[in-house]
Amino acid sequence: MRVEYDYDTCIGMFQCVEEWDAFERDEDAGKAVLVDSEEDEGVFVRGVPEDAELDAKFAARTCPVDAITVYDDDGEQL
């Protein structure tokens, strides 16, 4: 499973931070940061450990602007 996070779309509501510890607040920028991710054409990507899959899904679900997308191992959006 992997998660993709569009930093530019983020509006800094920080619900994702409450749901999954892979997201942290960047108060100076007013946006969340996806820890241990790699940037790919403006989108930050990282794998999701098996024990964090539910947290990643909740982080994506709570984002008010859909800046977070979760994909299964076959590349299907969840």
Side-chain angles (χ1 to χ4, degrees), residues 20-48:
W20 187 24
D21 61 4
F23 284 97
E24 294 181 350
R25 291 175 180 258
D26 181 348
E27 297 290 346
D28 292 334
K31 295 183 181 264
V33 174
L34 181 58
V35 178
D36 296 328
S37 62
E38 296 183 19
E39 185 177 3
D40 182 20
E41 297 182 23
V43 175
F44 291 84
V45 180
R46 73 168 272 178
V48 179

Side-chain angles (χ1 to χ4, degrees), residues 8-10 15 18-21 23 25 33 37 40 42 47-48 56-57 59 62 64-65 70 74 76 78:
D8 291 334
T9 299
C10 178
Q15 280 112 327
E18 300 300 319
E19 297 298 335
W20 187 24
D21 61 4
F23 284 97
R25 291 175 180 258
V33 174
S37 62
D40 182 20
V48 179
K57 290 176 187 176
T62 62
V65 293
V70 178
D74 294 324
E76 296 293 321
L78 301 176

